[in-house]
Amino acid sequence: MTDAGIDPTVDHGSNMPMDESDLSALQSDRLLRSIMENVADLIAVIDARGYRIYNSPSYQRVLGYSSAELQGTWAYDKIHPDDQAQVVKAAEETLKTGMGKVLEYRMQHKDGTWRILQSSGSVMRDEQGNVQNIVIVAHDISDRKMEQWERRRAETELERSRQSYKDLVRREEMLNRRLASQIRNSLDLNTIIATAVNEVQDLLLIDLCNFFWYVPDTDPPEFQLVHFATTESARIADPTYPLTQLTTVGQRLLKQEIIQIQSIYTNLDLDDLSRDLLAERGFTSQLLVPIKTRSQKLGVIVAAHCRGSRPWIADEVELLQAVANQLAIAIDQAELFDSVHANAAASKAQALKLKNALADLQKTQSQLIQTEKMSSLGQLVAGVAHEINNPVNFIYGNLNYTNRFVQSLLGLIDLYRQSYPEPTPEIASFLEEIDFEFLQEDLPKMLTSMKIGAERIRQIVLSLRNFSRTDQEGRKPFNIHEGLDSTLLILQNRFKAYGDRPAINLTKHYGDIPMVYAYAGQLNQVFMNILSNAIDAIDEGLHHKDMASEISIITELKQPTVATQQPTVVIRIADNGQGIPENIRQKLFDPFFTTKPVGKGTGLGLSISYQIVVEKHQGRLECVSTLGEGTEFRIEIPIGMPA
């Protein structure tokens, strides 16, 4: 074939007559015809001008056209206009080179829809070797392409969600850093609150974020708006909310309850007066988190939505709680700061008092930050202990059943061996391979070891939970011995030998003492600080003493005196380290005083311990030390009454 080409500009509307000689070979072979009629792929034979001279029956199954409808038509008129040029070009190159190409293109179904086909071409030659026809073999890949598109769309959505989550985490971290920076760098209450409400409104993508103070002295008592952040479309809230019109919501806030209102119209806990007031002010959904300051002032952060319901997810509630906690710290600091400056402005003669107040403010700020860190650590430890406890209880609870089942199986095997003392060669070989005698002896021991290990984990978890108890509900009955044992269990690794340092001997002399009403978590912190310092003192004195390292703990009950008026529990923690020089001992409980290298101590441990014992529990904390002999800390805690 020479100078043949496909002209897409020619009118292809009418069918071209078919040259019967072109398919004589195909029609004469019944086997080949049977294969072509039943094959799933689309098979077409196209002449050099681009007209169809054969179409397999599969065209009707895939595209809805019968072979007769396609016979003699231009092969490319049902290809999508955007794909037609590349298909025609590929056909021309195949005619010239005799080499087919693999293509993907869209072809119109008889019902008007488009299907995606993948085809490959080959040529038919005459006896002289000239290219005579093109054979097209195609199959429908529409479903596969649709799956690929769906997969790409899902991946795009997943990536968008991942980026949104990363952005939320990043913005949350930024919010926490900005608030923390405000707390450290500014004691201006208005600046801190304004920053908080603006950042919360922007981060949670809400219509409105407010901060209210509760004012009980007005008639009736009311919540007064002091700061807000809003979008342009949201209406600004009225400045006051009387308690008489917020009966249920107001009472719950006074009890410092977090309130989530997904929709004011469907919330069953919302009374009619509160619902009417919120609807009148334009709100449809709210999240309210109260803040109680040390001066007993009540504030409320309100995240509000004004357009339909808004489900408040746990992360949003947690974030707002974190903001409330940081604001509480900032407000306490600001109130102390304002108080100091008010006194200074009243009289220059009180300059010394102002200096001491500022020092107290710095101390309070550091202690608040340290207390917040310990609170977060306690919550983390409690959470980890809880997560460990569940699977350990599952394992521990099933060990007895497992042991019983194993004993039953071993008994069954023994019974079989008694009844059938001569096992088959296969059984005898397997028994020898698994060393059954050793397995029979060692498996019960293994289960016993597992039970001991599980019991050990349960004890550690219990100690962690006891140590990390929070003190939000006031003083509770507290077992001093349990607190000491929980702390020792956490510190047990530091008592063990390592390197050149031998193990530290621990001696406990627990007396017969009653329960005390105390803040358990805070006393555990005191025990932790003093015991850690005792271990540090022994480690520092390793090169100066040859005797064994020892720490002793003694508890006893002290009867009331004229000064104490009630019985007290005495805890004495002593070590045989190098002792403390007198000039250092006098500063032990001063804030920020430390003898440890930079990075190993903050100077707040004993200061906070002193505050917990003396101020929180009205007890005594003193240190007695002799150089070269050791140091003893003496803690006295009144038995007390519930707070």
Side-chain angles (χ1 to χ4, degrees), residues 75-242:
Y76 312 105
D77 63 346
K78 291 179 174 53
I79 294 176
H80 194 283
D82 294 342
D83 301 336
Q84 192 178 89
Q86 66 155 341
V87 178
V88 171
K89 182 179 178 181
E92 290 176 344
E93 291 179 0
T94 299
L95 288 171
K96 291 178 181 179
T97 63
M99 302 293 292
K101 286 189 174 182
V102 176
L103 296 175
E104 289 184 7
Y105 51 87
R106 289 162 289 179
M107 193 165 182
Q108 193 172 32
H109 193 280
K110 190 174 182 178
D111 62 9
T113 60
W114 294 95
R115 306 297 293 177
I116 302 174
L117 305 182
Q118 184 181 65
S119 70
S120 59
S122 60
V123 298
M124 295 176 62
R125 300 178 185 270
D126 58 18
E127 295 178 355
Q128 287 75 36
N130 297 320
V131 175
Q132 188 175 13
N133 300 313
I134 301 176
V135 179
I136 303 296
V137 179
H139 56 277
D140 186 1
I141 61 170
S142 302
D143 293 341
R144 189 179 75 192
K145 283 293 184 181
M146 186 62 67
E147 290 177 0
Q148 292 175 354
W149 291 337
E150 287 296 325
R151 189 182 306 113
R152 282 196 293 268
R153 186 187 63 79
E155 290 173 352
T156 301
E157 284 297 321
L158 179 61
E159 182 61 26
R160 186 181 296 112
S161 299
R162 187 181 295 113
Q163 290 299 327
S164 299
Y165 176 75
K166 288 182 179 179
D167 185 58
L168 177 63
V169 171
R170 178 185 61 79
R171 295 173 69 187
E172 181 177 344
E173 291 176 350
M174 185 182 301
L175 169 62
N176 289 332
R177 285 198 300 270
R178 289 194 59 177
L179 288 178
S181 176
Q182 289 288 347
I183 292 173
R184 290 193 299 268
N185 300 329
S186 173
L187 289 174
D188 182 68
L189 182 59
N190 290 328
T191 301
I192 295 171
I193 295 177
T195 300
V197 295
N198 278 284
E199 293 295 333
V200 169
Q201 189 269 331
D202 183 55
L203 178 64
L204 296 184
L205 301 177
I206 52 179
D207 295 333
L208 192 66
C209 183
N210 298 329
F211 184 86
F212 291 87
W213 283 119
Y214 174 64
V215 183
D217 300 331
T218 59
D219 187 19
E222 62 187 16
F223 291 90
Q224 293 183 356
L225 175 68
V226 292
H227 281 287
F228 67 88
T230 180
T231 61
E232 294 182 0
S233 59
R235 57 185 291 189
I236 299 175
D238 292 333
T240 60
Y241 286 76

Side-chain angles (χ1 to χ4, degrees), residues 374-388:
M374 291 301 298
S375 175
S376 299
L377 180 60
Q379 293 175 7
L380 175 63
V381 169
V384 171
H386 177 73
E387 292 301 324
I388 295 174

Side-chain angles (χ1 to χ4, degrees), residues 557-594:
L557 180 64
K558 180 180 177 182
Q559 296 302 323
T561 63
V562 176
T564 59
Q565 299 294 318
Q566 63 174 317
T568 57
V569 172
V570 180
I571 306 101
R572 293 157 52 193
I573 301 175
D575 65 73
N576 65 342
Q578 285 296 297
I580 303 173
E582 182 62 22
N583 62 326
I584 293 178
R585 189 190 67 82
Q586 294 177 357
K587 302 177 182 178
L588 280 181
F589 303 117
D590 291 348
F592 309 109
F593 178 79
T594 180

Side-chain angles (χ1 to χ4, degrees), residues 219-333:
D219 187 19
E222 62 187 16
F223 291 90
Q224 293 183 356
L225 175 68
V226 292
H227 281 287
F228 67 88
T230 180
T231 61
E232 294 182 0
S233 59
R235 57 185 291 189
I236 299 175
D238 292 333
T240 60
Y241 286 76
L243 187 62
T244 53
Q245 297 182 18
L246 286 173
T247 51
T248 303
V249 173
Q251 292 302 322
R252 291 181 64 185
L253 289 175
L254 293 179
K255 296 177 183 178
Q256 301 181 54
E257 296 182 20
I258 295 175
I259 302 175
Q260 301 180 49
I261 304 175
Q262 179 174 331
S263 171
I264 64 171
Y265 302 108
T266 60
N267 190 290
L268 299 179
D269 297 330
L270 204 61
D271 61 276
D272 292 338
L273 282 176
S274 301
R275 182 180 292 106
D276 293 342
L277 179 62
L278 295 177
E280 176 188 336
R281 303 292 171 90
F283 299 118
T284 58
S285 177
Q286 285 191 337
L287 172 60
L288 304 95
V289 178
I291 298 174
K292 194 70 170 285
T293 70
R294 292 180 62 186
S295 61
Q296 302 306 305
K297 290 180 66 177
L298 178 65
V300 183
I301 301 178
V302 182
H305 213 54
C306 304
R307 294 165 294 180
S309 64
R310 165 69 182 266
W312 301 102
I313 62 176
D315 289 342
E316 293 173 331
V317 178
E318 205 172 297
L319 170 64
L320 213 56
Q321 278 186 286
V323 172
N325 291 337
Q326 294 207 46
L327 273 179
I329 296 173
I331 291 169
D332 288 340
Q333 295 173 6

